[in-house]
Amino acid sequence: MRILILGGTSEASALVKGLAGRPGLDLTLSLAGRTSAPAAAPVPTRVGGFGGAEGLAGYLGAHRVDLLVDATHPFAARISANAAGAAARAGVPILAIRRPAWERRPGDDWREVESVAACIPALGEVPRRVFLTIGRMEIAEFAAAPQHDYVARTIEPVGEALPVPRLTCITARGPYDEAAEGAVLRDAGIEVLVSKNAGGAATYGKIAAARALGLPVVMVRRPAKPDVPSVADAGQAMRAILG
Ligand code: NAP
């Protein structure tokens, strides 16, 4: 069985690790190419876009793919829409890993917003010390609110993307636990955390730490993803694939 796994997530890495070397499976991992040094994968890896749903459908046909696995990030909406469209067009079964969202718990002080741009009004006019953990791609939005002090943590350097007078950059890759996140929030004097509702355990530490410290969180809601056969994690995906 030829399987194409659309990745860029811990679930995709776990699935690839769990399935690699199994007899009868021919796996390819696909990455968008956003990180310059992605973690090494134990299966052949292709990097870069396919050219929309049409390009992906062409790839599925040309490589005689038997199963498409959409294991992309909850905020990667375009590739998931393309995956659903391409699978339908090419007549290839699709299985998505849809990581459950984080739910508000007692003690959480969340202000939920619909987009990264909508975080700006939610932060308000009064200068605050803000911890940005929304990745690098949309960080330029915060240039519209230069009154705040920012601490931005990203996998790749932010570069010139956030031209504000007071910016501290941290480059790091998760997972992060609650104790370490609490220390980061305290040491940096953070007053408000900005996060996407990514879900999963790997980056939940900051949410738990913010709760423990009584800090508010501006939480970006998820974009809609297509309704396709799906499971919640890599273990369930493995069981679905291996039968
Ligand atoms: P996106 O907006 O949904 O996708 C933009 C374009 O990038 C797609 O149309 C596709 O190009 C290409 N692409 C995306 N994922 C791909 C993959 N796995 N393999 C090949 N091409 C891919 O996605 P994004 O938000 O930029 O995220 C890019 C990647 O980073 C995803 O694979 C995702 O799993 C990972 N990631 C995203 C976030 C996030 O917050 N957005 C966080 C962590 C990891 P074509 O149309 O040309 O095929």
Side-chain angles (χ1 to χ4, degrees), residues 6-9 30-32 34 46 48-52 71-73 75-80 82 134 196:
L6 304 173
T9 56
S30 176
L31 300 175
R34 301 284 188 270
R46 64 164 302 286
F50 296 92
T72 59
H73 190 269
F75 279 79
R78 199 134 46 97
I79 186 68
S80 290
N82 291 350
I134 46 107
K196 290 176 171 172

Side-chain angles (χ1 to χ4, degrees), residues 4-236:
L4 177 65
I5 300 169
L6 304 173
T9 56
S10 52
E11 285 85 352
S13 303
L15 182 62
V16 157
K17 213 170 145 199
L19 293 180
R22 301 249 180 181
L25 297 184
D26 177 350
L27 306 171
T28 301
L29 174 65
S30 176
L31 300 175
R34 301 284 188 270
T35 45
S36 53
V43 302
T45 303
R46 64 164 302 286
V47 179
F50 296 92
E54 203 175 321
L56 180 52
Y59 181 100
L60 296 175
H63 292 80
R64 290 182 288 126
V65 171
D66 299 303
L67 175 66
L68 176 62
V69 178
D70 175 10
T72 59
H73 190 269
F75 279 79
R78 199 134 46 97
I79 186 68
S80 290
N82 291 350
R89 194 181 301 212
V92 171
I94 182 171
L95 177 68
I97 303 181
R98 300 275 194 250
R99 186 195 295 171
W102 295 321
E103 301 287 342
R104 204 189 284 258
R105 294 194 195 166
D108 279 328
D109 178 6
W110 290 7
R111 169 89 186 268
E112 291 188 86
V113 297
E114 295 304 319
S115 65
V116 171
C119 294
I120 309 295
L123 287 175
E125 287 301 321
V126 176
R128 299 162 97 184
R129 254 182 102 66
V130 181
F131 190 29
L132 293 181
T133 61
I134 46 107
R136 176 177 51 101
M137 304 304 289
E138 294 165 277
I139 208 155
E141 299 280 358
F142 293 88
Q147 73 273 27
H148 302 301
D149 274 25
Y150 291 101
V151 178
R153 184 174 63 200
T154 53
I155 295 175
E156 299 284 314
V158 167
E160 305 300 310
L162 183 51
V164 289
R166 292 168 302 279
L167 170 66
T168 305
C169 294
I170 303 172
T171 51
R173 199 189 290 256
Y176 309 102
D177 68 26
E178 181 182 343
E181 293 291 67
V184 170
L185 293 171
R186 269 193 313 271
D187 294 351
I190 296 299
E191 295 168 292
V192 56
L193 167 67
V194 177
S195 175
K196 290 176 171 172
N197 193 333
T203 60
Y204 189 71
K206 63 191 173 189
I207 307 301
R211 181 193 308 129
L213 293 169
L215 293 181
V217 179
V218 177
M219 183 69 84
V220 185
R221 284 205 180 98
R222 296 167 163 214
K225 290 236 183 184
D227 190 13
V228 298
S230 57
V231 292
D233 59 33
Q236 289 179 17

